[in-house]
Structure formats: structure tokens, C-alpha cells
């Protein structure tokens, strides 16, 4: 489903009249694909709207145009920003005749820096194209800016994508033992990982998710199979005279003699014989880190000893300068750092709050995992 960000939602300036109000003079044959053509680095989704505003400012103030040139802009996270939209003629395809013939959809993709479109972006491009077709309407052509105009736009990666049919990325095939889950509204990857006894990193890797902070409603995620049930085989060892289970295990980092016995179905009294071939199980991962429980009374403008722990956690994650004095008071510095944590991890931010200074239990747990548990 398209994640359409209206002009009001991204804070667009009003377009200049009369030029910005010019409507299409004929039916559109389809969509022309564009890229930025400048250096671009990926950023948190919370900063994408500001980037679209900067493009509009460049087009209006730098180029003297009546509005942002594009019909729509698509960010790396797959959101579609309304530019001139479906009714008003774009100014991006090269000349008035070309502008009149196709919509113009621009990917926030650079000529340097971020040059490969993430899957989420290609989904967003498809969303924008299908939105134009269904609601413009327009024909089913998907072409490049460069197809009728001398330009490098939209660059090699999107050129390859358009030439290959401008398709949605293929869905990853879940490996044996994996489970699938459809993301529901308001659900975070962290919650899904908790429920299935997995980790955000494992699910993201199995599902091909680039940015775990941005998962959309309806996305199908893959929870990889548990590694606990059957220890994977990582090697074999032939027992020699004088060996013991504990002696062998002592030479294998991360493997206990009990695990070695279990992997080879050896039970008490744990007899092994020379020449016997043992399966060496994979080293078990370190015990998962358990964050401390969320402290009651930890809230802005109140005083509690646990505020100091929260400040240390924020410092460790670089959301709070190390120079700030730790104090039981959840004061302005703690609130500012908490707001910065929420901006970086918007899935823990209260709905509708742009500057959330109050940490909740899930944000608290996630921050501690990041700070002290290696992200686990
Ligand atoms: Zn272009
Ligand atoms: Zn974005």
C-alpha cells in the first residue's frame, strides 16, 4: 500500500501562480523516472521530509521555478511525497512538451554516495507509478528522463531497473524452518522478535530489511528458524586414546562438555572410545542480555535514582554529551537526549509526538540492549 505524504504533511510551501497551477494539457502516457543527480547519503526517515523541502527551496529560490519540479518524490524508505501531484503539470522532464506527456517521479538517490536503490525505495517507486496509473490516470509507460532528453538521469541503477521492467523487488523465499509474519499496524520489528524468540538483526537479515526502524504495515517478514533445536554441525573430531569429553570440550571455544555429549547422544556415564568420531556443535551464542525492568517513576521533571542509569545509557549511545553531569533529576538535558533517542528510533516514539522527551518501557529496553547487550 502506498505511503503517500501529502504536501501539507511534508510542509510544502505554496506554489507560485499562475505557472505552478498549470494543468496537464493532454493524457499522460506514463511516468518518467528521475534521480537527484547530486551526492546523496541515506538518512533517518525522520529527516526525509526536510530533504524534500530543501529540494523545493532549491527549485523555487535557486532555479526560480514556481514549485518543486517533480510530480512525486520517493525516499529510500519507500514513502511517496506529493510534489506537483496528479493534476498540475510537472517541470522535470526537459521541456513543456515532455512535461505534458509523462508524470515525473524522482527517487532520492544520488549520483554519488547512496547510488543503489534499497528494496523499500523500489517498492515506493512502484507505489508512485501505480498511484499515477490508477488515479491520474496515465498510460503504462515507465521511461527514463534520459529516454527523450540529453541527461544522465536517472543514473545507472535506475536505468537497469527500468530496462528490467521496473518491477517490485522479488520476495525472499523463506528457508526451511522459517516462519512468516505479516506486520500489523503499530507493531515494531522488536516486538515481533520478542514474540518469536528471535532478534531484530536476524529477522532483518532473513527478510532483506535494510532499515529495521522502517517496517510497513502489511510487510511480510521472515523469522529464521531457531538454532537451538538442533546444534548445527561445525566439525568432527576423532577420539584418541586418553581423551575425555571435558578435555576435548576445553579445546573448543564456546562449547561445553555437556553440549558435546548432547550433540553426540552420549549419556551418563559418558564413555567414549578411541576412534569414535564426535560431532562438534557450533559454539552457542552468549546468553541473551536482559535489560533491567523499566523503573517506575522515571518521567520528565521528576526525580528518581534510575534517571542516572538512563543518563548513562543515553551517554553510551551518544544521545547525551558525556560532559553532562549525571543527576537523579529527569531535567531538560535528559529530556533533550531522550528526544534525540526517539528521533533515531521513531518506533518507540509516542504516536503524533514529534519531540517525545519521555522514555517508555520498550524504548528503555531497546536502548539498554543497544548500549549494553550488543544490540541483542
Ligand atoms: Zn531527471
Ligand atoms: Zn524516508
Amino acid at each position: 500500500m502506498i505511503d503517500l505524504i501529502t504536501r501539507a504533511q511534508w510542509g510544502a510551501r505554496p506554489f507560485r501562480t499562475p505557472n505552478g497551477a498549470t494543468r496537464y494539457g493532454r493524457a499522460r502516457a506514463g511516468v518518467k523516472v528521475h534521480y537527484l543527480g547530486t551526492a546523496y547519503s541515506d538518512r533517518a526517515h525522520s529527516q526525509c521530509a526536510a530533504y524534500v523541502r530543501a529540494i523545493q527551496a532549491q527549485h523555487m529560490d535557486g532555479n526560480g521555478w514556481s514549485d518543486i519540479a517533480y510530480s512525486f518524490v520517493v525516499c529510500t524508505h519507500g514513502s511517496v511525497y506529493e510534489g506537483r501531484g496528479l493534476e498540475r503539470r510537472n517541470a522535470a522532464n526537459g521541456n513543456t512538451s515532455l512535461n505534458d506527456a509523462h508524470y515525473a517521479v524522482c527517487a532520492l538517490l544520488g549520483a554519488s554516495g547512496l547510488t543503489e536503490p534499497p528494496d523499500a525505495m523500489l517498492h515506493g517507486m512502484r507505489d508512485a507509478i501505480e498511484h499515477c496509473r490508477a488515479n491520474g490516470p496515465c498510460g503504462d509507460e515507465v521511461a527514463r528522463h534520459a529516454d527523450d532528453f540529453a541527461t544522465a538521469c536517472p543514473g545507472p541503477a535506475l536505468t537497469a531497473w527500468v530496462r528490467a521492467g521496473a518491477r517490485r523487488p522479488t520476495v525472499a523465499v523463506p528457508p526451511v524452518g522459517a516462519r512468516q509474519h505479516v506486520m500489523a499496524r503499530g507493531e515494531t520489528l522488536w516486538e515481533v522478535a520478542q514474540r518469536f524468540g528471535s532478534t531484530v538483526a536476524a529477522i532483518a537479515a532473513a527478510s532483506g530489511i535494510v532499515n529495521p526502524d522502517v517496517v510497513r504495515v502489511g510487510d511480510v517478514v521472515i523469522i529464521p528458524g531457531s538454532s537451538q533445536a538442533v546444534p548445527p554441525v561445525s566439525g568432527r573430531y576423532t577420539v584418541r586414546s586418553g581423551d575425555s569429553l571435558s578435555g576435548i570440550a576445553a579445546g573448543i571455544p564456546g562449547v561445553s562438555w555437556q553440549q558435546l555429549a548432547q550433540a553426540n547422544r552420549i549419556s551418563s556415564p559418558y564413555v567414549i572410545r578411541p576412534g569414535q568420531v564426535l560431532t562438534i556443535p557450533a559454539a552457542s551464542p552468549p546468553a541473551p542480555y536482559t535489560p533491567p525492568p523499566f523503573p517506575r517513576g522515571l518521567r520528565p521533571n521528576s526525580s528518581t535514582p534510575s534517571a542516572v542509569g538512563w543518563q548513562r545509557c543515553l551517554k553510551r549511545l551518544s544521545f547525551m554529551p558525556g560532559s553532562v553531569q549525571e543527576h537523579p533529576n529527569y531535567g531538560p538535558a535528559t529530556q533533550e537526549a531522550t528526544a534525540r533517542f526517539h528521533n533515531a528510533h521513531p518506533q518507540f516514539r509516542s504516536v503524533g509526538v514529534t519531540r517525545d522527551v519521555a522514555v517508555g518501557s520498550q524504548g528503555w529496553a531497546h536502548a539498554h540492549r543497544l548500549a549494553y547487550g550488543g544490540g541483542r
Side-chain angles (χ1 to χ4, degrees):
M1 218 182 77
I2 188 169
D3 180 28
L4 185 64
I5 315 285
T6 64
R7 291 173 67 90
Q9 284 169 334
W10 61 263
R13 283 159 54 181
F15 55 83
R16 294 194 188 102
T17 53
N19 283 358
T22 307
R23 298 190 156 238
Y24 283 100
R26 56 178 162 130
R28 275 72 69 206
V31 170
K32 287 265 174 85
V33 173
H34 297 257
Y35 78 154
L36 292 169
T38 57
Y40 184 74
S41 54
D42 203 7
R43 59 207 63 224
H45 185 53
S46 54
Q47 296 171 32
C48 290
Y51 200 87
V52 178
R53 289 196 296 274
I55 296 173
Q56 187 193 29
Q58 170 63 31
H59 287 181
M60 293 181 74
D61 304 333
N63 303 0
W65 298 341
S66 56
D67 194 3
I68 188 169
Y70 307 111
S71 309
F72 296 94
V73 173
V74 177
C75 76
T76 50
H77 315 98
S79 293
V80 179
Y81 297 79
E82 180 190 27
R84 298 205 189 195
L86 297 170
E87 310 277 328
R88 295 187 294 119
R89 188 170 70 199
N90 75 79
N93 291 341
N95 60 46
T96 302
S97 167
L98 294 172
N99 295 341
D100 220 19
H102 291 83
Y103 287 116
V105 176
C106 181
L108 291 189
L109 201 64
S112 63
L114 184 79
T115 57
E116 289 294 325
D119 279 1
M121 168 174 266
L122 296 181
H123 279 297
M125 294 296 286
R126 282 302 311 183
D127 290 343
I129 289 165
E130 286 159 21
H131 177 63
C132 290
R133 287 179 184 176
N135 304 308
C138 69
D140 56 10
E141 253 182 57
V142 179
R144 304 172 308 135
H145 186 186
D147 284 335
D148 298 299
F149 196 79
T151 171
C153 182
L158 287 174
T159 290
W161 181 68
V162 169
R163 287 191 175 146
R167 293 194 176 89
R168 283 186 189 277
T170 47
V171 177
V173 178
V176 176
R179 285 161 293 181
Q180 295 187 33
H181 173 77
V182 180
M183 297 300 292
R185 185 163 293 281
E187 198 172 47
T188 67
L189 216 49
W190 182 84
E191 288 164 347
V192 174
Q194 291 285 300
R195 199 178 318 146
F196 287 93
S198 186
T199 64
V200 170
I203 294 176
S207 312
I209 294 169
V210 179
N211 182 352
D213 284 351
V214 182
V215 181
R216 301 194 299 172
V217 175
D219 278 357
V220 177
V221 299
I222 294 162
I223 297 102
S226 167
S227 60
Q228 308 289 51
V230 182
V233 176
S234 68
R236 294 183 184 283
Y237 177 82
T238 304
V239 177
R240 290 177 296 194
S241 182
D243 276 345
S244 66
L245 272 182
S246 59
I248 296 166
I252 311 167
V255 175
S256 67
W257 71 264
Q258 291 93 337
Q259 289 168 323
L260 193 56
Q262 193 190 2
N264 292 279
R265 300 172 191 277
I266 301 168
S267 51
S268 176
Y270 305 109
V271 176
I272 52 174
R273 290 176 303 276
Q276 183 177 354
V277 177
L278 297 181
T279 298
I280 309 297
S284 51
Y289 168 82
T290 307
F294 182 69
R296 285 164 181 272
L298 181 66
R299 58 178 170 269
N301 302 317
S302 74
S303 189
T304 166
S306 53
V308 173
W310 179 232
Q311 288 153 10
R312 281 185 194 153
C313 185
L314 289 167
K315 283 183 179 180
R316 215 175 147 92
L317 296 173
S318 302
F319 291 114
M320 175 179 262
S323 56
V324 173
Q325 201 191 337
E326 291 159 13
H327 194 276
N329 189 22
Y330 195 129
T334 311
Q335 294 174 33
E336 173 59 27
T338 303
R340 289 169 64 192
F341 166 73
H342 280 137
N343 286 344
H345 302 276
Q347 72 269 42
F348 300 112
R349 193 167 57 191
S350 296
V351 173
V353 181
T354 49
R355 185 175 180 275
D356 188 357
V357 300
V359 64
S361 60
Q362 290 194 1
W364 162 273
H366 187 67
H368 278 78
R369 274 195 192 83
L370 291 174
Y372 304 107
R376 284 176 300 113

